[in-house]
Amino acid sequence: MKFIYLSLFIISSFSAIRAQTVYGLKDCIGIGLERNYSLRVARNTETIAKNNFTKGNAGYLPSLDLSSRYSGTLNNTTQNLVAGGQTVTNGINNTTTYAALSLGWTIFDGFNVQTTYKKLNELQELGALNTQLSAENLITNVISGYYNYILQVQMLKNMEYAMELSRERLRIDEERYLLGSSSKLQVLQSRVYLNADSSRLSKQFEVVRTAQVGLNELMALEDLGTQFQTKDVTIEVLPQFTYEKLLDETLSRNSSLLIASKNKTVSAYDYKLIESRSYPYLNFSSGYSYNLNTYSNSTNKNQITNGMNYGLTLGMSLFDGFNQKRSLQNSAIELQNKELKYFEVEQGVRADLITIYNAYSNNLRLITLEEQNVQTATENLDIALESYKLGSLSGIELREVQKSLLDAKERLLLIHYQAKLAEISLMLISGNIMVYYE
């Protein structure tokens, strides 16, 4: 038993020495927002959408191309004359040098350009919303991990308290045994209880360490084994939510709803883009070219041609095998699907809000009840210990009183954590999760 106590003391001391870093909730959120890999990927995707939102990508701006080419031929010519005889010319080298500057501009394309530009803007905003959703989910996970670590540390302290009670009981039984007022069996039974509590405490050390590593992973620390302490030591729940206010904020600020709405808008622009193919199009083109031809066997030494060209192209698709009609029908169905998806998301969000709010309200009531239970169980234990010292209470009965207190404390800790999770979920679903970082 001395070896077990010493081992646990060494583990606790070693952890305390190494846990030099102290994190508050905002510290953990800030590190996670800066380093988390999934969020960084979402930000890169958002940047791509921002880069795509340009007038040039939409087709507003003209195109200007420069091209040049140099080519030549090297031939031998043999001419057989009608009157007889033959003329042979070797090494005829002709060259061509060409350069051109071409300008192209779409003047009108059935409002395709304007619609594309609006769609690119929506895609940019959609990318920002996706990043926002990723950030909100990360913050939620970090907060949950932070308070889970606090919960496990509190559970550890509860088990340490259980060990203190079991150790005190063993001391009482050993003194009573030496005085002859207790049996050896009672002492052995007390040692069994103490060993059981020591085993639970040892396992809880492992649970605490796992919670610590999980939070390090969310923050994307290079050393996942980094040990730390938290500024907060208890879990405080905010009892300030009203359902009506939460519902209004959810319908106007929920990221999933906003994304579903954006997807619906993008589909509407896709439909307009297909419609634009029914309009005529007008393109302008212009250019300047320079052409130099050189001849080694000709009456002309070289020939230079240069000048400008320009033109307008007016056109319209008259028949494309009913492909546009088919595309419009499919696009209309896709738009209807996006609208249905929006209503589905809204329904799911409303259902989640009701469920989470009920759980939150119920947990607040349970906190009050369990606090009373802890107070009552503490008084019972004080009375039971005095009765046990006087010999008027059996060891089994004392153990049951101890267990009642420890179970009440554990239930209170778990309900605090569950209420906090419900609070976090309410803040997430209503679009207020960033409040924890402000």
Side-chain angles (χ1 to χ4, degrees):
M1 290 302 300
K2 289 181 179 180
F3 176 77
I4 293 176
Y5 298 150
L6 181 61
S7 299
L8 293 175
F9 175 77
I10 292 174
I11 293 174
S12 302
S13 301
F14 184 71
S15 299
I17 292 173
R18 291 192 59 188
Q20 299 296 328
T21 304
V22 179
Y23 286 140
L25 179 58
K26 291 184 178 180
D27 300 325
C28 295
I29 295 175
I31 295 172
L33 290 175
E34 178 184 356
R35 302 174 61 98
N36 184 268
Y37 295 111
S38 296
L39 183 57
R40 288 162 67 181
V41 170
R43 284 175 178 152
N44 287 338
T45 304
E46 179 188 355
T47 302
I48 292 174
K50 287 182 179 179
N51 293 338
N52 288 334
F53 179 51
T54 64
K55 289 191 174 182
N57 193 27
Y60 271 110
L61 304 181
S63 61
L64 186 63
D65 298 325
L66 175 64
S67 62
S68 63
R69 187 172 186 269
Y70 176 82
S71 61
T73 60
L74 184 60
N75 298 320
N76 298 323
T77 303
T78 301
Q79 294 177 327
N80 296 313
L81 304 178
V82 176
Q86 187 179 69
T87 300
V88 177
T89 305
N90 294 324
I92 302 174
N93 184 18
N94 298 330
T95 64
T96 300
T97 302
Y98 173 81
L101 191 64
S102 301
L103 174 68
W105 188 19
T106 300
I107 298 176
F108 180 74
D109 194 18
F111 305 105
N112 183 291
V113 174
Q114 294 87 340
T115 304
T116 300
Y117 190 68
K118 292 178 181 178
K119 177 183 175 182
L120 290 174
N121 182 44
E122 293 296 326
L123 291 175
Q124 175 190 229
E125 295 179 358
L126 183 59
L129 285 173
N130 284 324
T131 301
Q132 176 180 315
L133 180 61
S134 298
E136 289 177 347
N137 289 333
L138 173 63
I139 292 173
T140 300
N141 292 333
V142 169
I143 298 173
S144 300
Y146 180 83
Y147 284 108
N148 178 56
Y149 174 75
I150 294 175
L151 169 67
Q152 300 307 327
V153 171
Q154 290 179 324
M155 299 281 278
L156 180 68
K157 292 179 180 179
N158 192 38
M159 294 178 187
E160 289 175 344
Y161 177 65
M163 276 196 61
E164 292 177 4
L165 292 177
S166 297
R167 191 180 295 114
E168 174 65 14
R169 173 182 172 175
L170 177 61
R171 184 192 65 79
I172 295 172
D173 288 340
E174 287 177 338
E175 289 181 355
R176 291 170 60 185
Y177 174 70
L178 292 176
L179 295 174
S181 60
S182 179
S183 65
K184 181 70 172 179
L185 179 62
Q186 192 67 35
V187 175
L188 293 177
Q189 185 62 48
S190 296
R191 286 180 178 173
V192 169
Y193 289 147
L194 180 59
N195 288 342
D197 292 337
S198 300
S199 177
R200 291 183 61 200
L201 181 61
S202 179
K203 292 179 180 179
Q204 186 61 23
F205 271 111
E206 180 181 349
V207 175
V208 170
R209 187 66 178 137
T210 300
Q212 202 172 55
V213 173
L215 187 55
N216 287 337
E217 183 181 8
L218 287 171
M219 293 188 292
L221 298 182
E222 293 182 2
D223 182 10
L224 295 177
T226 300
Q227 297 195 30
F228 58 84
Q229 294 176 341
T230 57
K231 292 181 181 179
D232 300 292
V233 295
T234 59
I235 301 176
E236 300 295 334
V237 184
L238 303 176
Q240 59 184 27
F241 299 112
T242 59
Y243 177 79
E244 291 75 15
K245 182 180 179 181
L246 286 171
L247 180 60
D248 292 339
E249 292 175 339
T250 298
L251 295 178
S252 61
R253 302 178 58 177
N254 181 268
S255 295
S256 296
L257 269 177
L258 294 175
I259 289 173
S261 178
K262 284 294 178 186
N263 285 329
K264 185 172 60 173
T265 304
V266 170
S267 291
Y269 283 134
D270 287 334
Y271 184 85
K272 290 182 179 180
L273 287 174
I274 298 173
E275 276 188 325
S276 67
R277 285 151 51 181
S278 300
Y279 292 87
Y281 58 85
L282 179 63
N283 297 329
F284 170 76
S285 62
S286 179
Y288 175 84
S289 63
Y290 173 86
N291 194 74
L292 171 62
N293 295 314
T294 62
Y295 311 102
S296 63
N297 185 22
S298 175
T299 57
N300 299 323
K301 181 180 179 180
N302 59 56
Q303 178 178 315
I304 299 175
T305 304
N306 65 300
M308 293 187 63
N309 63 82
Y310 54 88
L312 289 173
T313 302
L314 176 64
M316 182 176 183
S317 176
L318 299 178
F319 180 73
D320 64 351
F322 302 109
N323 286 323
Q324 183 182 5
K325 180 180 179 181
R326 173 184 53 80
S327 298
L328 283 173
Q329 290 174 342
N330 291 340
S331 183
I333 295 173
E334 185 63 28
L335 178 58
Q336 184 183 22
N337 285 341
K338 292 298 173 58
E339 291 176 346
L340 293 174
K341 182 64 178 179
Y342 177 84
F343 293 133
E344 181 184 19
V345 172
E346 181 182 357
Q347 185 182 53
V349 167
R350 286 176 178 269
D352 289 342
L353 179 62
I354 295 173
T355 302
I356 297 170
Y357 187 79
N358 288 338
Y360 168 79
S361 302
N362 186 53
N363 283 326
L364 289 182
R365 290 190 292 268
L366 289 176
I367 286 175
T368 303
L369 177 62
E370 290 299 336
E371 285 176 344
Q372 295 174 355
N373 288 340
V374 169
Q375 183 178 359
T376 302
T378 301
E379 295 175 359
N380 288 342
L381 179 62
D382 293 338
I383 297 173
L385 280 174
E386 293 299 324
S387 300
Y388 187 73
K389 291 177 183 179
L390 297 174
S392 60
L393 189 70
S394 67
I396 295 178
E397 291 173 327
L398 177 61
R399 183 67 177 181
E400 286 298 319
V401 174
Q402 287 178 330
K403 188 175 184 301
S404 296
L405 174 59
L406 297 174
D407 288 347
K409 286 187 174 183
E410 185 171 317
R411 287 196 308 271
L412 180 59
L413 292 175
L414 288 174
I415 290 173
H416 267 284
Y417 180 63
Q418 290 169 358
K420 193 65 179 180
L421 289 183
E423 171 198 313
I424 296 167
S425 298
L426 289 175
M427 298 294 276
L428 172 64
I429 201 171
S430 62
N432 293 310
I433 194 67
M434 290 298 294
V435 168
Y436 294 101
Y437 187 56
E438 295 175 351

